[in-house]
Amino acid sequence: MIQAFGLTSNARKERPPAVDDVSFEARAGSVTALLGAPGAGKTTALRLMLELQQGRGITYFRGRPLHRIAHPSREVGVLLGDVPGHPARSVRGHLRMLCAAAGVPARRADEVLEVVGLVSLRDERLGSLARGMDRRLGLACALLADPHTLVLDEPAGELSARESRWLYGMLHAHAAQGGTVLFTTADPKEAARSADRVVTLEQGRILADQEAGDFARTRLRPRVAVRTPHAARLAALLTKEARTAHRSVEVVREEGNRLSVYGSTCADVGETAFRHDILVHQLADEIGDMGPGAGTSARGEPETTDEPRVPAPSSRAVTASPLTDVPFAEQPSPPITPALPTSEPSAAQAPEPVARAHPLYEEQAAAVSPLRDTAVDPAAQPTTASLPATPGPRAPSPARSRLVPLVDPEAATGALPSARAPRSSRAATLDALSPLPPPISVRSAPSPLRPLRYELRRATGIGTGFLTGAAVLVVSALTALLLARIGHTPQPRLLAAWPRELPLPPAALGAGLLGAFAFGDEFRHPALAADRGTVPRRMGLLLAKLLVSAATALLLGFLTVGCDAEVLYLVYGRELAQVPVDWLSTGVSWTGLVVGCAWAGVLAAGIFRSTTAGLAAVVAVPILVVPLVHKALEGPAVRAAAGFPLRLRKVFLLQWPFGGERYLSAAARVIVQPVGGALALSLTALLCAYLLTTLRSRVR
């Protein structure tokens, strides 16, 4: 169950807030639609519920706010806009990466791909998917961790009628298993067809909270759509004839040359136009929304609400019949009052069995369980949507029956079923639907390897890292050959392809760029942002990125030196490819340089949320920090720490077993070097800044 209380966005510049005091609830076992015109505040309300936007109010997901849930992706599946992922990553690789982040088995990716019908496209890139396939992938991402609640923003936007029926069939199948579904839409007919309950928003406030049948009766009504170049004349004639015949007819002037006639028929409107020689371009029966004034009675008085509300000014010119005392419908519309959410539904308000509540779905007589090959008796399956006693992921059922949606013939033609006719009589034809993925058992204990698995799949899932490494090797080899031809370059710098004119060698720059990619891609393509709003600033994720970037930098540094030595040997002989005499201190310095650059890129990109900022921080170390360190050490001082390294050696570097003092001495010499000291200072400052931003975000 979703319970939203007092959702209010921050006020904008001299404009009212996009969402103002919105309170509603979406019950388990049913599909709830959040209806509103573009700009009504639907997306803002969802972002406030998911804590992606600052504002006031609180939302409970089965009794807990989102920031109190340890693993939000296991409780709430979210789809806001397009699928947030790197366009060069494959569909299967993206899902497997999210499996590692959520702590679910990797085989879960193949299960949801089969359910949403993307098995044949599992090797396609995200950037090449069509709109319909992207919606399917978004639903697969939302179902990946087997969440109890689905929150979807315009899930059927730009989809065909068949794809929309498939999508809403999946949502109702999820609700039939006891889950909660909340989606937004701007189409009233779509909300009436596809939802069990409709919450209407207008200008950021709740206008109505109704069952789908009540919504169809009070908010939708048939109309005649007319398009003519003489719209004003035809409207006046229709109004005059309605007054003469004592009939209640309402004529609404739409944009352009279009009229919407309520309370009449195509035959009457066509006869009127024919008698007066009025050219008509369009004449059709439609089901239309009553518009911003739908919450008013036949006399034009606002219906009873919890608080007074000023109706929004309409841009349409309305010509109504003077017989306003004649009601349009046979039964008056009930008062529209926003339903304040309660903690738990009472016994009288408990949802009916889902198989009866939504007649678009029926269980087959013999359903095949996705977990077994044997037939499952649907009578043995529970059909009543019940709330679990304790919050947490849904308890896995022994087997799930296959749910088959019954396609509404009126939905295919765009007509709305009559509110008086039983909804179960609308089903006519069958449209096969794959079963939901089987429930999974997720261990609640956190695994220290989970962030590491995620980072490994993220780094190896696209070719950016491999292309960067190959470019570094090629540039480094060509630079080494050029330096050897020119001469005057020491052999250690020659093996590293590090000319004195450059602040850093190509390998160090490449390691820093790969480190900047580790966090920069998270903010550019926020695959983890669906359940937290931004990249989680957790120490486990940071340590995983530091560990993977350090391993990548060591591998890149080793391959660079080996490739340079091999190229120099092939071109100039053995003389330039010999191992240096002080290989230990040189190797330690080289290792510290590439690893330090990689870590500087990771931390800077995590702080400034940009790959460019991460690489700029790496380049700034030798260009800005090293001169500042030089200037600070060479400045005038009353007392100088002369002989400090020697005394430190005598105190701490006594006789270590197996010659350990040599390695510590080499590490000390690396740190006291200008580049090493500046890099260590930069890493310390960046780490402190990252921890500070992490604590600040948690306090917020």
Side-chain angles (χ1 to χ4, degrees), residues 641-653:
F644 174 74
L646 181 60
R647 292 191 295 272
L648 189 64
R649 176 185 178 89
K650 291 181 179 180
V651 173
F652 294 100
L653 301 182

Side-chain angles (χ1 to χ4, degrees), residues 312-582:
S314 176
S315 59
R316 302 178 297 178
V318 180
T319 305
S321 171
L323 302 177
T324 55
D325 55 343
V326 180
F328 174 76
E330 297 179 1
Q331 298 178 356
S333 302
I336 302 175
T337 57
L340 294 178
T342 57
S343 57
E344 292 293 339
S346 61
Q349 298 175 345
E352 297 178 1
V354 179
R356 299 179 181 177
H358 204 282
L360 294 181
Y361 299 89
E362 293 181 357
E363 299 188 26
Q364 291 182 344
V368 180
S369 171
L371 298 180
R372 303 180 181 89
D373 296 333
T374 58
V376 179
D377 184 11
Q381 303 297 322
T383 58
T384 303
S386 59
L387 292 175
T390 58
R394 284 179 293 155
S397 57
R400 290 187 179 181
S401 57
R402 184 184 299 268
L403 298 177
V404 180
L406 301 180
V407 176
D408 188 357
E410 295 175 341
T413 60
L416 189 71
S418 174
R420 298 184 180 88
R423 299 185 60 161
S424 58
S425 63
R426 298 184 297 168
T429 58
L430 290 175
D431 187 14
L433 174 67
S434 300
L436 285 175
I440 56 176
S441 298
V442 182
R443 295 192 309 172
S444 59
S447 172
L449 295 180
R450 186 182 307 155
L452 185 59
R453 294 194 190 101
Y454 165 79
E455 181 61 21
L456 288 174
R457 293 190 183 278
R458 186 209 62 80
T460 58
I462 55 178
T464 305
F466 301 102
L467 293 177
T468 303
V472 167
L473 293 179
V474 172
V475 171
S476 181
L478 295 178
T479 305
L481 290 177
L482 182 61
L483 292 178
R485 182 178 180 83
I486 296 175
H488 309 292
T489 302
Q491 187 183 12
R493 280 182 168 265
L494 190 62
L495 292 176
W498 189 359
R500 297 183 182 274
E501 294 77 14
L502 294 180
L504 289 174
L509 289 174
L513 180 59
L514 292 177
F517 277 138
F519 251 131
D521 283 347
E522 297 284 8
F523 293 100
R524 187 178 180 184
H525 308 288
L528 296 180
D531 54 359
R532 283 291 185 181
T534 183
V535 177
R537 293 185 177 275
R538 294 183 177 180
M539 293 305 300
L541 184 62
L542 175 63
L543 293 177
K545 291 185 178 297
L546 292 178
L547 182 59
V548 173
S549 62
T552 305
L554 289 176
L555 180 61
L556 184 61
F558 177 78
L559 292 178
T560 300
V561 173
C563 184
D564 294 346
E566 188 67 22
V567 170
L568 291 174
Y569 171 75
L570 291 176
V571 177
Y572 297 107
R574 187 180 299 275
E575 180 182 358
L576 296 180
Q578 293 180 356
V579 179
V581 178
D582 55 344

Side-chain angles (χ1 to χ4, degrees), residues 258-307:
R258 180 174 175 178
L259 297 177
S260 294
V261 184
Y262 297 91
S264 185
T265 62
C266 285
D268 294 340
V269 176
E271 290 177 0
T272 302
F274 178 77
R275 287 196 305 268
H276 296 85
D277 296 330
I278 297 178
L279 178 64
V280 175
H281 292 160
Q282 179 189 8
L283 188 63
D285 287 323
E286 289 184 354
I287 296 295
D289 187 11
M290 294 174 64
T296 59
S297 62
R299 295 179 179 270
E301 300 176 356
E303 297 186 2
T304 306
T305 55
D306 287 348
E307 54 187 5

